[in-house]
Amino acid sequence: MAKKRIVVMYGGKADEHSISCISAASALRALDTDKFEAIPVGITKDGKWIVNGENPLGWSLDEGLPTVEKTPGVKDVVLEVALGQDGFFAREDDGTLTPFGHVDAVFPVLHGPFGEDGTIQGLFEMMGVPYVGCGVLASAACMDKHYTKVLLAAAGIPVAPGITLDARSFDKASEFKANADAIMAQVSEAGLQYPLFVKPSRAGSSFGVTKVEHEGDAAELAAAVFEASHHDWRILVEQGIDAREIECAVLCPKAGEAPQASWPGEIVLDKRAEGDDQFYDFDSKYMDSAASHVEVPANLPEETLNLVRETAKKAFVAVDGAGLSRVDTFVTKDGKVMVNEINTMPGFTSISMYPKAWEATGVRYTDLITKLIEGVLR
Ligand SMILES: Nc1ncnc2c1ncn2[C@@H]1O[C@H](COP(=O)(O)OP(=O)(O)OP(=O)(O)O)[C@@H](O)[C@H]1O
Ligand SMILES: [Mg+2]
């Protein structure tokens, strides 16, 4: 049987550009080349689609952060929407177009806005090209923490108590200080307990997230809301949940079939500076491999692990998930499970939680990728 030809996409306009490059490099190295032929397509930070760039196979986190660049020899990708799976071309220097040939599916290994938020998914829907992962609605809803919570709450899944603010009308010049009392009033009306977490609704990688510690300190709250407003005008103020952060990998290769959940895992911090009360931030998450390790299954009673798995599957269905998602939960001391957020294209390097969780549940990285691709070809 002929190999299936898969466009593997990486990079992109989001802040997670380099993480996507590492995720894709890892996936390309693990891809079953007896079954699939990969066509790597990069997206530069300013959104240009390219082929013939630097070979992602050479990229790894130890070598520093890779980026997709328009170096000499790189060709622009041109799409002919109406041609669908035959609609991918490379533009040569003389302007002529070289077809990729028939593309069986696309695997967008892209994180964040314009990759994980439904926009590129919509493009492939328009073209009629099968793609791995969640569709337009789930991608868009999960990119926006406010709407994720709306859908989850409607399905009866516990989420952190909180309010959503619209910062568009706030007084920017005063850095929101002029609105501080009004924001405080909303917080107390909602009965939110301190500490609070203030975060942009649409962001990722903990960008713009602030822990607000001091009850009654309107300036501290306003500063946190101002900080979040650099990332999105829609801002969540949540009650801080005193809990462990447990992540569960959900797999559903063919949309509509029953999703499966991995053993839940936990990021265990190994290195924490004296007196350091930082929550898991960008650096400890991606940049510092000595800072943490992944533990699957998380050290919790089996009953709790199973509750996380059930909740994760329910959450996946509630947002109309497909393909894959990592459901991030809070597990409190008394074993209650709340969903914090859903990542529809979770970190996908071989040492990321999603593949690690499946490996610990009996699905090897290579087979995981095969299942995901074959699911959209069926
Ligand atoms: N309500 C909350 N209670 C306790 N901790 C919280 C709460 N909200 C956020 N946090 C902490 O802040 C971190 C980042 O928040 P969150 O996961 O919502 O944002 P994010 O930017 O989407 O992060 P990422 O996409 O990288 O996981 C969480 O992992 C958690 O440690
Ligand atoms: Mg998170």
Side-chain angles (χ1 to χ4, degrees):
M1 211 177 66
K3 290 184 191 180
K4 297 294 183 186
R5 305 182 72 242
I6 312 300
V7 167
V8 176
M9 300 196 67
Y10 53 92
K13 293 205 287 190
D15 290 326
E16 296 91 338
H17 179 99
S18 295
I19 307 306
S20 157
C21 292
I22 304 280
S23 286
S26 214
L28 284 166
R29 279 193 287 270
L31 188 74
D32 184 343
T33 50
D34 290 335
K35 291 196 166 107
F36 306 112
E37 177 196 340
I39 309 167
V41 170
I43 304 180
T44 62
K45 282 188 171 172
D46 53 3
K48 298 199 173 61
W49 294 32
I50 59 124
V51 282
N52 268 15
E54 191 182 340
N55 189 349
L57 286 176
W59 290 339
S60 78
L61 210 43
D62 309 327
E63 310 287 318
L65 292 179
T67 51
V68 177
E69 305 283 354
K70 279 200 77 174
T71 46
V74 159
K75 295 170 191 168
D76 289 329
V77 173
V78 177
L79 299 178
E80 181 77 69
V81 174
L83 292 180
Q85 289 170 273
D86 300 304
F88 292 76
F89 299 84
R91 188 192 286 119
E92 305 295 339
D93 291 338
D94 63 3
T96 56
L97 299 181
T98 307
F100 283 22
H102 191 76
V103 166
D104 291 290
V106 176
F107 191 166
V109 190
L110 299 165
H111 308 304
F114 306 106
E116 196 181 347
D117 65 352
T119 48
I120 204 168
Q121 288 76 12
L123 176 60
F124 296 133
E125 293 286 346
M126 298 284 286
M127 290 181 74
V129 177
Y131 57 93
V132 171
C134 285
V136 173
L137 181 110
S139 301
C142 293
M143 184 53 41
D144 190 311
K145 293 183 168 75
H146 170 75
Y147 287 104
T148 309
K149 289 175 76 176
V150 168
L151 293 178
L152 294 176
I157 297 163
V159 295
I163 55 170
T164 302
L165 305 173
D166 181 338
R168 286 174 297 186
S169 62
F170 290 172
D171 177 15
K172 270 226 158 65
S174 77
E175 301 190 345
F176 298 176
K177 286 190 194 84
N179 303 91
D181 291 337
I183 299 170
M184 285 280 286
Q186 283 193 59
V187 166
S188 39
E189 195 186 337
L192 304 182
Q193 314 274 307
Y194 281 71
L196 304 175
F197 277 82
V198 177
K199 48 194 187 184
S201 196
R202 286 162 294 190
S205 304
S206 301
F207 292 122
V209 181
T210 308
K211 185 176 182 180
V212 175
E213 309 259 15
H214 306 101
E215 186 160 4
D217 188 340
E220 187 189 6
L221 182 57
V225 174
F226 188 64
E227 169 63 26
S229 75
H230 299 315
H231 301 269
D232 193 1
W233 52 262
R234 194 171 16 253
I235 296 166
L236 272 58
V237 180
E238 284 184 347
Q239 178 166 320
I241 307 299
D242 185 15
R244 283 163 65 185
E245 294 183 57
I246 306 297
E247 306 179 1
C248 187
V250 178
L251 175 65
C252 178
K254 188 164 174 57
E257 289 184 352
Q260 298 161 283
S262 72
W263 283 115
E266 184 172 24
I267 314 265
V268 178
L269 297 181
D270 301 314
K271 210 177 69 181
R272 183 177 273 223
E274 203 60 38
D276 189 359
D277 185 33
Q278 269 305 310
F279 50 94
Y280 188 48
D281 62 6
F282 186 83
D283 281 358
S284 53
K285 202 167 287 187
Y286 297 122
M287 301 308 298
D288 189 353
S289 56
S292 62
H293 73 270
V294 158
E295 188 170 285
V296 191
N299 183 14
L300 284 167
E302 189 158 335
E303 188 193 339
T304 309
L305 292 172
N306 282 326
L307 179 58
V308 172
R309 296 174 91 170
E310 290 313 310
T311 307
K313 286 191 279 188
K314 235 173 109 179
F316 185 86
V317 172
V319 299
D320 193 29
L324 73 165
S325 284
R326 194 190 72 225
V327 178
D328 294 353
T329 69
F330 294 129
V331 176
T332 60
K333 274 204 186 67
D334 55 353
K336 290 208 177 64
V337 176
M338 252 176 221
V339 173
N340 176 34
E341 61 162 339
I342 301 176
N343 294 285
T344 53
M345 190 52 72
F348 205 75
T349 75
S350 56
I351 58 160
S352 300
M353 176 63 84
Y354 189 91
K356 280 278 182 194
W358 275 116
E359 211 151 79
T361 313
V363 183
R364 288 169 43 238
Y365 188 41
T366 295
D367 299 332
L368 182 63
I369 297 166
T370 299
K371 279 176 192 283
L372 283 166
I373 297 172
E374 287 184 339
V376 300
L377 297 177
R378 276 194 268 143

